[in-house]
Amino acid sequence: MAKHIFITGGVVSSLGKGLTAASIALLLKQRGYRIRMQKLDPYLNVDPGTMSPYQHGEVYVTEDGAETDLDLGHYERFTGIYCNQGSNYTTGRIYSAVIAREREGGYLGKTVQVIPHITDEIKAAIRSLATDDVDIVITEIGGTAGDIESLPFLEAIRQFRQEIGRQNGLFIHMTLVPYIQAAGEMKTKPSQQSVGILRTIGIVPDMLICRCERHMEEEHRQKLALFCNVEDQYVIEEKDVDHSIYEVPGELARQHVDQHILKMLQLPENELDLDEWTHMVQTLIAPRREVEIAVIGKYISLQDSYKSIYEALTHAGVANDAAVNFRMIEAGDLTPDNTSKLLDGVAGVLVPGGFGFRGIDGKIRAIQHARQNRIPFFGICLGMQCAVMEFARNVCGLEGANSTEFDAETAHPVIDLMEEQQTITDMGGTMRLGVYPCQLTPDTRTFAAYATETVQERHRHRYEFNNAYREQLEQAGMKISGRFVAGDLVEIVELSDHPWFVACQFHPEFKSTPLQAHPLFRDFVAAAIGGRQESSPAPDATTSQTTSAAQACPAS
Ligand code: GLN
């Protein structure tokens, strides 16, 4: 039978519960345990797929096409273990299932209630991960103790632990121990109160993990232990790390968190093998060189919106023994006059995925600049679509070439809606989602990066490269370096007469880990380190961009 660890949070949000859960998972995995991870989110959206990146950060996509919370990205990056549809449940998803069953007559005339029907559904969601091939399930509860929305989830985990017994289930509570400047002291009271809230609903944490800016004194630890009813040794400090989130597992291991957990769960300790991880962290902390990459996005002010992109670039840095610095540029800020200035000196340009028209002109300008000035370029999803639009307009002379997402009437729809998408009106879970096989073309930069013929990559989009323009673009020098053969879809394009210009329709950033940088990110950063090639700009069919997409498209 699988054992369970439940991680709750108190005092404030953004304590890094996801990172802590992921770090614990890594430590237990490196002691030989088979781990599964899950996040329960107490909001009413059925999944984060329909939420704005401003509200919720990036939407993380799993192999099996679930649109999930970005914490699942941490889970996968730290552990290398894939999440799935069972790894993220929201209140909306739980209620939808219960209401659908009620409509089907599944409750046989009973009054359907939060307790027991919603809590039973939550318990079933937790149990769904505890399959025979799993030793420990780690379940993170989103939100903060005391939130009204969290109550059904907390009641469900209380019942769950009651049913499986103490030695099979653990409660870990993350809290904040702030340093109050004016008093010159660290304060334990908020943590005591948050544990108090849990106690009123019948949960007594077995372990406290305390986020703090300064080291806690023994006196604080004892106070917390006494007032929160937790054993001294199980009050753990998680002080802000100096350099990187990837230092957290080492910090927790130093305080024997993994050993404490195994002891409480009555599982053998086994040996911890953290060598490879520690080595990676050392490279990350003291790299031999630096490189600056421009990321041209639309939600640039919010780092979480491009979480996996920044992480994947960091991993690529580790693979190249380099620190990757980001120049985050709001696409809408790029004008014909300032593009060279804003991109001056960057070693690489990356245009990530996105939706809606705002910022498209700026992205296309950045791509044109990278292409003409032979700066390594990496386009992802919308970034790939923009690269195709740029090439069609400025190299093939297809004036006003566009995606039908932005101009339904364009004379040259080089990016168009897939046929099966044309009749869909529902927003949730209706895109092309999850992994598809992609066959690579030999003798391309893409093939050189992956060094294999077929790869599996994750998608999240509605629009596609329009095959009607394929021949024309190929003749002008755009190489198709990856295809989904069964659907006859172009997945990767590149330019051979450029130091490194690759753009893909899928999201490679979701499959990059610090121990194994994604091959495309790795080679992109390597090309950027190689420096800009000092040769003349690539010639264009048209010298200036005549039609502004803004004139033709509805604003978003
Ligand atoms: N908006 C584009 C599409 O739907 C690109 C999506 C993305 O970048 N994830 O096809």
Side-chain angles (χ1 to χ4, degrees):
M1 193 181 102
K3 309 254 180 179
H4 291 263
I5 299 172
F6 299 102
I7 301 185
T8 55
V11 185
V12 289
S13 57
S14 305
L15 280 178
K17 277 199 306 265
L19 285 172
T20 306
S23 302
I24 290 173
L26 170 72
L27 296 177
L28 296 175
K29 181 190 165 217
Q30 294 309 108
R31 284 187 185 270
Y33 288 96
R34 297 166 301 172
I35 310 294
R36 286 286 179 285
M37 302 195 72
Q38 177 182 56
K39 175 143 193 224
L40 305 179
D41 274 314
Y43 49 75
L44 279 168
N45 305 62
V46 172
D47 60 44
T50 52
M51 289 161 90
S52 155
Y54 284 122
Q55 285 270 316
H56 198 258
E58 116 187 325
V59 175
Y60 189 79
V61 181
T62 59
E63 290 283 287
D64 61 354
E67 297 177 278
T68 70
D69 185 83
L70 57 78
D71 272 333
L72 275 74
H74 293 312
Y75 300 171
E76 291 200 351
R77 286 188 284 270
F78 276 67
T79 64
I81 302 168
Y82 285 157
C83 292
N84 59 33
Q85 297 278 356
S87 310
N88 195 192
Y89 282 87
T90 66
T91 299
R93 184 169 170 197
I94 296 284
Y95 269 78
S96 296
V98 170
I99 291 169
R101 192 170 312 123
E102 186 274 332
R103 293 287 83 183
E104 289 160 5
Y107 293 103
L108 306 174
K110 290 201 184 91
T111 308
V112 181
Q113 293 175 298
V114 174
I115 299 172
H117 302 104
I118 294 296
T119 45
D120 280 354
E121 195 68 25
I122 296 170
K123 287 194 286 180
I126 297 167
R127 220 172 285 118
S128 73
L129 284 199
T131 46
D132 286 346
D133 56 344
V134 176
D135 299 315
I136 304 171
V137 176
I138 300 178
T139 301
E140 175 192 348
I141 321 293
T144 308
D147 294 346
I148 290 175
E149 294 98 331
S150 301
L151 281 173
F153 290 102
L154 296 176
E155 169 60 12
I157 62 169
R158 184 197 67 73
Q159 289 180 16
F160 199 99
R161 194 324 255 259
Q162 183 65 17
E163 286 163 9
I164 60 175
R166 229 194 132 106
Q167 73 286 3
N168 293 320
L170 269 193
F171 292 126
I172 297 180
H173 188 57
M174 274 203 78
T175 155
L176 179 73
V177 179
Y179 177 80
I180 306 296
Q181 191 80 39
E185 270 187 273
M186 286 178 95
K187 293 292 183 188
T188 62
K189 188 67 64 74
S191 303
Q192 294 176 41
Q193 288 178 338
S194 123
V195 172
I197 292 170
L198 284 182
R199 276 211 302 255
T200 60
I201 47 182
I203 293 177
V204 182
D206 301 291
M207 179 182 274
L208 280 189
I209 297 188
C210 308
R211 280 299 305 274
C212 44
E213 286 172 37
R214 304 184 172 209
H215 282 299
M216 283 173 14
E217 306 288 337
E218 193 47 38
E219 152 211 358
H220 301 121
R221 198 185 297 272
Q222 281 172 6
K223 214 165 164 183
L224 282 165
L226 182 64
F227 296 129
C228 299
N229 226 13
V230 176
E231 272 185 50
D232 252 35
Q233 54 175 336
Y234 300 151
V235 178
I236 308 296
E237 163 189 293
E238 195 182 305
K239 192 175 132 333
D240 295 352
V241 284
D242 293 331
H243 308 278
S244 159
I245 53 171
Y246 297 117
E247 290 173 76
V248 175
E251 284 304 308
L252 296 183
R254 199 175 48 75
Q255 296 175 75
H256 313 291
V257 168
D258 44 343
Q259 286 154 303
H260 292 327
I261 287 173
L262 292 170
K263 186 168 156 214
M264 285 192 268
L265 291 175
Q266 299 180 4
L267 289 169
E269 233 181 54
N270 305 340
E271 207 178 312
L272 174 66
D273 175 6
L274 212 55
D275 292 353
E276 202 188 351
W277 188 271
T278 310
H279 182 256
M280 174 275 292
V281 172
Q282 281 161 358
T283 310
L284 187 58
I285 290 176
R288 278 203 297 179
R289 38 178 106 81
E290 275 184 272
V291 61
E292 190 181 25
I293 303 287
V295 178
I296 321 291
K298 166 170 150 181
Y299 319 103
I300 270 316
S301 55
L302 191 69
Q303 277 241 13
D304 273 359
S305 310
Y306 299 110
K307 189 92 203 155
S308 295
I309 296 276
Y310 295 130
E311 290 302 315
L313 284 169
T314 302
H315 307 157
V318 173
N320 286 288
D321 206 352
V324 178
N325 302 322
F326 311 122
R327 190 183 299 181
M328 301 167 194
I329 299 178
E330 188 65 45
D333 291 347
L334 289 170
T335 66
D337 297 334
N338 68 9
T339 298
S340 302
K341 191 162 155 252
L342 290 180
L343 290 174
D344 186 41
V346 296
V349 173
L350 187 149
V351 178
F355 295 83
F357 170 68
R358 190 170 59 78
I360 292 295
D361 275 354
K363 290 177 189 176
I364 288 180
R365 259 178 217 122
I367 295 168
Q368 184 177 18
H369 179 86
R371 180 176 57 77
Q372 293 180 328
N373 293 282
R374 305 176 66 76
I375 303 169
F377 168 76
F378 193 12
I380 293 175
C381 208
L382 181 61
M384 178 263 203
Q385 298 174 356
C386 287
V388 171
M389 285 150 60
E390 194 279 323
F391 192 81
R393 289 178 193 181
N394 300 330
V395 179
C396 302
L398 298 173
E399 205 173 297
N402 216 327
S403 162
T404 50
E405 179 178 4
F406 313 125
D407 180 6
E409 305 302 322
T410 174
H412 303 293
V414 287
I415 304 292
D416 201 5
L417 209 52
M418 289 180 285
E419 226 172 87
E420 56 268 37
Q421 287 285 346
Q422 287 183 1
T423 49
I424 293 175
T425 50
D426 264 13
M427 294 304 274
T430 53
M431 285 184 256
R432 183 177 175 214
L433 287 167
V435 281
Y436 286 84
C438 175
Q439 191 177 313
L440 308 181
T441 314
D443 293 328
T444 56
R445 299 216 194 288
T446 304
F447 193 90
Y450 281 107
T452 183
E453 275 166 23
T454 309
V455 294
Q456 301 277 343
E457 294 283 6
R458 300 184 196 175
H459 293 250
R460 181 171 185 258
H461 57 103
R462 292 182 207 284
Y463 293 82
E464 297 283 351
F465 183 106
N466 184 348
N467 281 328
Y469 289 88
R470 200 170 141 180
E471 213 180 295
Q472 194 174 355
L473 267 65
E474 275 183 306
Q475 267 168 17
M478 181 164 264
K479 208 160 192 166
I480 312 300
S481 49
R483 280 191 330 122
F484 171 47
V485 178
D488 193 21
L489 295 174
V490 170
E491 304 281 40
I492 316 174
V493 297
E494 62 178 64
L495 300 180
S496 325
D497 64 345
H498 186 284
W500 206 90
F501 189 108
V502 177
C504 54
Q505 185 56 78
F506 48 78
H507 290 273
E509 69 273 23
F510 294 144
K511 290 185 87 158
S512 184
T513 73
L515 295 182
Q516 203 151 32
H518 189 283
L520 292 179
F521 276 92
R522 184 202 59 214
D523 281 15
F524 167 56
V525 168
I529 290 169
R532 293 162 59 177
Q533 312 263 316
E534 295 306 326
S535 52
S536 55
D540 282 349
T542 51
T543 44
S544 66
Q545 197 174 310
T546 43
T547 312
S548 157
Q551 291 158 0
C553 303
S556 73

